[in-house]
Amino acid sequence: MGLVRDELFATMEQAEQSLEHFIAERQNGSLLQQAVEAMHQVRGTLNLIELTGAELLAQELLDQATDIPTGAGEERDVQLSALSNALYVLRRYLENLDLHRQEMPELLLPAINDLRQAGGQPPLPESYFFGVRLDQARQDVVAARLQEGVDPAALARRFRQIYQQGLLGFLRGDKAPSALRVMERALGGLERIYASQPRGRLCWIGAAAIESQLEGQLLARKSRKQLFSRLDRELKLLLANETYEAPRSLLKELLYLVALADSRGPRARAVCEVFGMTALPFTDQLLEQEYQRLSGPGQAVMRSLSSAIFEELNSVKDMIDLIERGTAPVGSFGTLHALLGKLAKTLVMVGLNSPGNALQGQLSMVAAWSAHDPVESNELLKLADAVLYVESMVAGLDSGERRGPRPLVEPGHEAESFANHQLAEARIVVLDEAQAGLALAKRAITSYLESNGDKPHLANVPVSLQAVRGGLWFLGQERAAFLVGACGEYIQQQMLESSLIPSEQMLETLADALTSLEYYLEGGAGMRRGFQDDILDLAANSVRALGLPVAA
């Protein structure tokens, strides 16, 4: 994305501006045509750099935009609004991708489906970007024995009625956990009746999905209510047909919920084992949070906001310093109290509830201060800790960093939270420096090759890699540190101290090792849930191929 970044964002800005002007001047068809041409270029670029989710949204944008006629009236307002919102979401998604190098196409589904709904098309399912093999089967499953005289068909109909009762409660939002338990028990009963028949498969997977919805505390989205309603309609067909087989699309949707929840429930574990599913690299709550972030203010707005907040925080720190020195002018205490109250409200408004509450908790203490009595030093330290904590939380606003949910901090524990935040910031800095060190080594090796073995190009590489190794040890990444050190040792012994240039195959193997390590660091050094831990195995295999020992 880096090679086309500037052109891509410039084209997107052109599309947004042309569409905005067309909405205001709907008789000007040239404005709409300019927007369509820009969207077409954006889609082509995204196809070139293989961003599947972003390309899909761009294609939906293009389809909807070409459907808008010149002179569109109010009947097209919903469609135009969806276009404008989707363009904004796409730009914010690409901005985050440019910063974090982590694709999450699921974030684009709400905008895609808003466009499709505005154009009268059916929405894409939640599992659209989810892959799983549906041909896996349970082994040695035996149906439960029923008591003598019990009619299986009548019992199955009763279980379906129980499912419908629970479904009604879930749809209404009445005691949803209890409703889900009722639905799960009903499907469990059907599973026991039909376990040895093809139709028992849907009951088993459906029960696991409902267990996951409950255990994983998944959000009661409209799409999930529709999914469980669809499941009820399939149960009607299932009861009437001994050879019934569930639609693959339905099974995939249910399995997606199981994978998303990463539940430890017995049914979910069994389903994951049979279908070979692992936890997804995100949670339902994270998806919701990140989509809200995409729909919120852009980086330019957040930079302006954080700049204004920092100015006010600096004013607060100056006042604290004057009070500590005993040189605060008359009226400083009232001004400080008012400024803290204003800052607290601003922080809560932008979603920084914990920092806002931290300042709010200091107001009663500051209100009791008087120019006639000296302020206790421990009270000044408490306020200073709170201000430093707020400053650390605001620091990520303008960079668009994805830090996950903001931790709640109990009043009086701001200093501890600030220290933890500083440690997290140090980790980020060390990772960035480590990535820069590996990139430097790769460039130096390229220059070494292009100059036919000119050793001065490699002079600083072993030292740089030793610095990377030390940083990784600091982060507790001993295995990665060992592999980086091994690469540095190979360069020192086989490239700097040797009179012979290593073979092309060995140099490619060295490049593979460095690339694998670089990719590992780009993923947060294994700290992200679901990250591919086997990347280090690839690096280790390359180091072993270089003839160097690799720790077990």
Side-chain angles (χ1 to χ4, degrees):
M1 181 172 168
L3 297 176
V4 297
R5 178 193 181 283
D6 293 340
E7 181 181 351
L8 177 60
F9 283 116
T11 307
M12 290 203 63
E13 184 176 357
Q14 179 186 343
E16 287 184 280
Q17 290 177 353
S18 298
L19 181 62
E20 183 180 342
H21 292 157
F22 172 76
I23 292 174
E25 306 173 32
R26 300 194 184 185
Q27 297 302 324
N28 191 340
S30 62
L31 291 172
L32 180 60
Q33 184 60 32
Q34 290 172 15
V36 169
E37 290 174 357
M39 291 177 198
H40 191 276
Q41 186 175 342
V42 167
R43 190 203 63 79
T45 302
L46 294 173
N47 174 264
L48 178 67
I49 58 181
E50 298 182 345
L51 292 179
T52 307
E55 183 193 353
L56 178 60
L57 178 52
Q59 183 62 58
E60 291 290 343
L61 278 164
L62 191 59
D63 292 344
Q64 296 296 329
T66 52
D67 185 54
I68 302 290
T70 301
E74 294 181 356
E75 74 281 358
R76 296 284 186 163
D77 284 355
V78 173
Q79 205 168 356
L80 288 167
S81 176
L83 278 168
S84 181
N85 177 68
L87 267 174
Y88 179 79
V89 168
L90 178 58
R91 178 163 54 82
R92 294 279 285 123
Y93 176 80
L94 293 175
E95 286 175 351
N96 284 342
L97 183 61
D98 186 44
L99 281 170
H100 307 291
R101 314 292 183 190
Q102 185 181 22
E103 288 188 70
M104 200 181 292
E106 290 80 3
L107 290 176
L108 300 176
L109 276 175
I112 290 172
N113 285 334
D114 284 347
L115 278 173
R116 293 176 66 86
Q117 184 178 3
Q121 296 177 287
L124 298 180
E126 282 190 78
S127 63
Y128 185 82
F129 296 106
F130 173 66
V132 64
R133 288 190 59 180
L134 298 174
D135 55 353
Q136 307 301 312
R138 299 168 74 188
Q139 302 296 325
D140 303 324
V141 181
V142 179
R145 288 187 177 182
L146 302 180
Q147 294 181 358
E148 187 175 349
V150 174
D151 181 5
L155 182 59
R157 288 194 295 271
R158 176 58 182 158
F159 277 130
R160 186 194 171 206
Q161 291 173 354
I162 294 173
Y163 178 87
Q164 289 175 323
Q165 292 172 0
L167 177 62
L168 184 60
F170 179 66
L171 296 179
R172 289 175 173 173
D174 298 338
K175 299 180 180 178
S178 299
L180 288 169
R181 290 189 186 95
V182 169
M183 294 161 64
E184 181 189 353
R185 284 198 296 270
L187 285 178
L190 288 170
E191 176 198 352
R192 288 191 295 273
I193 295 174
Y194 299 127
S196 58
Q197 302 179 33
R199 51 182 168 176
R201 180 180 175 84
L202 175 62
C203 303
W204 173 56
I205 295 175
I210 294 173
E211 176 191 74
S212 299
Q213 174 78 28
L214 178 61
E215 297 287 334
Q217 298 182 344
L218 301 184
L219 301 175
R221 302 181 189 276
K222 178 182 178 182
S223 59
R224 289 163 194 173
K225 293 181 178 180
Q226 292 173 336
L227 174 64
F228 294 141
S229 297
R230 179 187 175 189
L231 179 55
D232 174 57
R233 294 191 296 273
E234 292 296 325
L235 291 179
K236 180 180 179 181
L237 301 176
L238 178 151
L239 297 181
N241 184 1
E242 291 185 5
T243 60
Y244 170 88
E245 291 189 8
R248 295 175 66 86
S249 60
L250 176 59
L251 295 178
K252 184 181 177 184
E253 280 293 287
L254 295 170
L255 289 172
Y256 173 74
L257 294 187
V258 176
L260 178 63
D262 190 25
S263 167
R264 297 295 88 196
R267 285 194 171 93
R269 289 201 305 268
V271 166
C272 287
E273 182 178 349
V274 168
F275 288 92
M277 298 191 304
T278 56
L280 298 177
F282 48 80
T283 64
D284 198 24
Q285 289 73 20
L286 177 63
L287 281 179
E288 181 68 18
Q289 176 190 340
E290 291 303 316
Y291 184 72
Q292 293 301 325
R293 191 192 299 269
L294 287 184
S295 303
Q299 290 183 42
V301 174
M302 298 310 289
R303 276 195 293 268
S304 299
L305 177 62
S306 63
S307 177
I309 292 176
F310 273 122
E311 286 182 12
E312 295 190 346
L313 285 172
N314 287 333
S315 298
V316 170
K317 290 192 288 186
D318 290 341
M319 289 185 187
I320 293 175
D321 184 52
L322 291 174
I323 292 171
E324 194 273 334
R325 294 168 183 267
T327 58
V330 177
S332 293
F333 294 104
T335 303
L336 177 61
H337 186 274
L339 187 54
L340 289 173
K342 177 184 175 183
L343 265 173
K345 291 179 181 178
T346 302
L347 292 168
V348 171
M349 285 176 61
V350 298
L352 297 177
N353 295 322
S354 187
N357 292 336
L359 289 187
Q360 191 73 33
Q362 308 298 318
L363 291 179
S364 59
M365 180 183 71
V366 175
W369 290 353
S370 169
H372 304 292
D373 300 310
V375 178
E376 296 290 338
S377 60
N378 64 322
E379 292 186 346
L380 277 173
L381 285 174
K382 284 177 62 179
L383 179 58
D385 287 341
V387 170
L388 287 174
Y389 166 65
V390 171
E391 194 172 42
S392 68
M393 292 295 100
V394 174
L397 278 178
D398 61 342
S399 63
E401 291 183 15
R402 183 179 292 122
R403 299 172 183 266
R406 299 284 181 175
L408 295 177
V409 177
E410 295 293 332
H413 292 77
E414 288 85 5
E416 179 184 350
S417 176
F418 175 65
N420 291 335
H421 177 79
Q422 291 295 90
L423 184 61
E425 291 293 317
R427 177 187 174 81
I428 293 171
V429 171
V430 172
L431 279 177
D432 288 344
E433 290 298 322
Q435 292 179 55
L438 291 176
L440 172 66
K442 291 170 64 179
R443 290 195 299 270
I445 292 171
T446 300
S447 299
Y448 169 81
L449 287 173
E450 292 175 347
S451 63
N452 198 26
D454 193 0
K455 294 182 180 180
H457 289 294
L458 301 176
N460 297 323
V461 173
V463 176
S464 296
L465 291 182
Q466 286 303 316
V468 172
R469 176 178 175 274
L472 292 175
W473 273 105
F474 167 76
L475 296 178
Q477 297 289 331
E478 291 87 355
R479 188 184 181 203
F482 178 86
L483 295 174
V484 169
C487 292
E489 181 182 342
Y490 182 86
I491 292 171
Q492 180 68 41
Q493 296 178 356
Q494 303 298 326
M495 299 172 74
L496 282 173
E497 297 177 359
S498 173
S499 58
L500 300 176
I501 299 177
S503 67
E504 182 178 348
Q505 180 181 356
M506 297 301 282
L507 289 175
E508 287 181 357
T509 302
L510 175 61
D512 288 342
L514 292 172
T515 299
S516 297
L517 288 164
E518 189 176 26
Y519 182 47
Y520 179 74
L521 295 181
E522 285 179 356
M527 294 302 291
R528 290 189 184 129
R529 176 181 173 218
F531 185 77
Q532 297 178 357
D533 292 328
D534 58 353
I535 294 299
L536 283 185
D537 292 337
L538 295 178
N541 291 337
S542 297
V543 169
R544 192 178 291 109
L546 292 173
L548 298 173
V550 176

